[in-house]
Amino acid sequence: MKAGVIGTVDGNFDALESFETTVKQGDFELKRCIDVRRGFTLPSGIEAYYGHAAMEQVKDREQVMIQNGEISIYEEPQKVPSYTEFLTVPGEVVVVDSGAGSFAYSMIGSQTNTNIERAEINLSGFAADHEDDSDPWKVGFYGHLGNAENGVVHGTDLLSDDELSGVLHESNLNQLGVEYPYDGQMLKANMAESGYFEIYQPSNYESKDYLQFILDEVIHYLK
């Protein structure tokens, strides 16, 4: 994984183990499972884990019945599975592959006696701190007072553009794509205020490098 939605951990745990449990909801027995596939070490020597999470939920699904020349449409409760991949650095962050996978936060939190919540990234703070050493190629903004109330712009060195910089500096940012020097190479990253963070390039970036970058460069801007 080198993309996902970041959750922050309130509390601490040293390790994560696989587990499976069953809960009862009405007439349904629902399974929940954390499957830790492997542990690995980050370049800084910190332990991390990769795994899968899945849970069953009861949701009403539309059903169609054709009988005696008539069509009936109704809703019926059914078991529906949800699945996500995840990465975690114990006591620091849990990253799931999409917003739909955020159910894993509560599952891992329950198992480790911690509280894990989806993070927001302070993009304005990140952009301001790295204005001199990064090249923004995408900026999404909102809350601007003027003709340009919100939008997304693409280009190069956008925060220094004579026509756009005033609008972007006076707005809240909800998307930020940057080319950014880190550990002797140029990274191309994309992030969102909603907690999504992705490394586009280099293409051979591994999960351990992705997590290390979050710990080194992004975690200070999580809220």
Side-chain angles (χ1 to χ4, degrees), residues 127-141:
D129 289 347
H130 299 287
E131 191 164 359
D132 295 333
D133 62 357
S134 68
D135 178 8
W137 53 269
K138 178 177 73 170
V139 179
F141 68 96

Side-chain angles (χ1 to χ4, degrees), residues 19-25 28-35 51-59 61 78-86 96 99-110:
F19 72 90
E20 180 179 335
T21 187
T22 301
V23 298
K24 191 170 180 62
Q25 182 176 334
F28 293 91
E29 289 191 347
L30 307 175
K31 291 183 178 180
R32 299 177 179 178
C33 180
I34 293 290
D35 179 9
H52 297 174
M55 69 180 299
E56 296 174 326
Q57 297 173 291
V58 177
K59 296 184 178 181
R61 294 296 195 191
Q78 294 182 356
K79 284 198 296 187
V80 179
S82 297
Y83 161 82
T84 187
E85 296 178 77
F86 70 85
V96 295
S102 58
F103 67 87
Y105 297 152
S106 60
M107 293 175 62
I108 295 174
S110 296

Side-chain angles (χ1 to χ4, degrees), residues 20-221:
E20 180 179 335
T21 187
T22 301
V23 298
K24 191 170 180 62
Q25 182 176 334
D27 296 329
F28 293 91
E29 289 191 347
L30 307 175
K31 291 183 178 180
R32 299 177 179 178
C33 180
I34 293 290
D35 179 9
V36 178
R37 293 298 181 92
R38 62 185 176 91
F40 56 95
T41 304
L42 304 189
S44 61
I46 298 173
E47 293 299 312
Y49 297 90
Y50 164 79
H52 297 174
M55 69 180 299
E56 296 174 326
Q57 297 173 291
V58 177
K59 296 184 178 181
D60 289 334
R61 294 296 195 191
E62 187 177 272
Q63 303 293 319
V64 178
M65 177 182 290
I66 303 174
Q67 189 174 22
N68 299 326
E70 294 184 350
I71 299 173
S72 300
I73 300 175
Y74 60 98
E75 290 189 338
E76 184 175 76
Q78 294 182 356
K79 284 198 296 187
V80 179
S82 297
Y83 161 82
T84 187
E85 296 178 77
F86 70 85
L87 293 169
T88 182
V89 177
E92 297 288 351
V93 295
V94 176
V95 184
V96 295
D97 59 18
S98 70
S102 58
F103 67 87
Y105 297 152
S106 60
M107 293 175 62
I108 295 174
S110 296
Q111 181 71 5
T112 58
N113 294 315
T114 60
N115 183 46
I116 304 171
E117 294 185 355
R118 182 169 177 163
E120 290 186 354
I121 305 176
N122 178 7
L123 301 183
S124 296
F126 185 96
D129 289 347
H130 299 287
E131 191 164 359
D132 295 333
D133 62 357
S134 68
D135 178 8
W137 53 269
K138 178 177 73 170
V139 179
F141 68 96
Y142 67 98
H144 180 255
L145 298 178
N147 293 333
E149 296 178 357
N150 60 76
V152 181
V153 292
H154 295 78
T156 58
D157 204 14
L158 293 170
L159 295 177
S160 299
D161 184 274
D162 291 338
E163 296 182 359
L164 291 172
S165 61
V167 173
L168 299 179
H169 282 98
E170 294 166 4
S171 304
N172 300 310
L173 303 187
N174 55 13
Q175 296 183 59
L176 180 64
V178 293
E179 290 189 1
Y180 181 79
Y182 170 74
D183 197 27
Q185 57 186 332
M186 188 64 69
L187 271 63
K188 189 173 185 179
N190 182 41
M191 61 191 86
E193 183 183 39
S194 60
Y196 182 80
F197 179 74
E198 178 177 8
I199 296 291
Y200 283 158
Q201 295 175 355
S203 58
N204 63 348
Y205 229 52
E206 299 181 1
S207 295
K208 62 181 181 179
D209 303 309
Y210 172 77
L211 284 175
Q212 189 67 63
F213 185 90
I214 290 175
L215 294 183
D216 288 347
E217 303 294 326
V218 181
I219 199 168
H220 317 293
Y221 301 98

